[in-house]
Amino acid sequence: KKMEKLRYHQTNLGGSIHSDGPQLLTPPNYVLMACSKQAKKGGYSIIAHAKSVYNFIKKNKPHYLKILKNDFFFERRGFNYPNKNIFSKPIFEKRKNFFRFRYLREYIETAYKLKKIKLKSNQIHALDFLDKLIHNSHFQKKFKLNKGDVIILNNNILAHGRTRFSLNL
């Protein structure tokens, strides 16, 4: 039961590819990741270029992009928002000099369950296509941080994840 309350960054489990703070009105612009001890097994960092994914969808599946630019419900997990534990924002926001990718699929699915609303089939197809792309090696880099390494990511254009890891063999 206790593990169910933990968020993935507090565990050695792998995590989905996502942006940080999708449940916040204004997500952080930058994310800092550091390695205090290199994993003996697993623990690869995954960085996906969400802006390249956006451009690919725009060119190849514009009907999906239209869906992903509309609002989705997000659970506001990890923060205490009395009676406001769900809000809606688009996954992709693009204006003249502004681009933001906001995504954590689990927070979207949980929000719809909490609202007792089903995602529409076209939304599910668009989300599935997005997941397929951000997991495609063409749009991502996979690497292992060494002890003491620090990286800073632009949270608006890059998504990240991590593979499951073990510190001991």
Side-chain angles (χ1 to χ4, degrees), residues 2-16 18 41-44 106 161-167:
K2 189 177 179 184
M3 278 294 277
E4 291 173 14
K5 300 263 185 218
L6 293 175
R7 294 169 66 200
Y8 109 91
H9 68 272
Q10 297 170 305
T11 73
N12 67 338
L13 302 174
S16 63
H18 63 280
K41 183 177 179 184
Y44 287 89
E106 181 184 353
R162 178 191 72 215
T163 63
R164 174 184 208 103
F165 68 91
S166 174
L167 294 174

Side-chain angles (χ1 to χ4, degrees), residues 149-168:
D149 285 352
V150 174
I151 58 173
I152 299 171
L153 305 175
N154 182 327
N155 193 49
N156 292 321
I157 64 170
L158 299 172
H160 64 278
R162 178 191 72 215
T163 63
R164 174 184 208 103
F165 68 91
S166 174
L167 294 174
N168 339 334

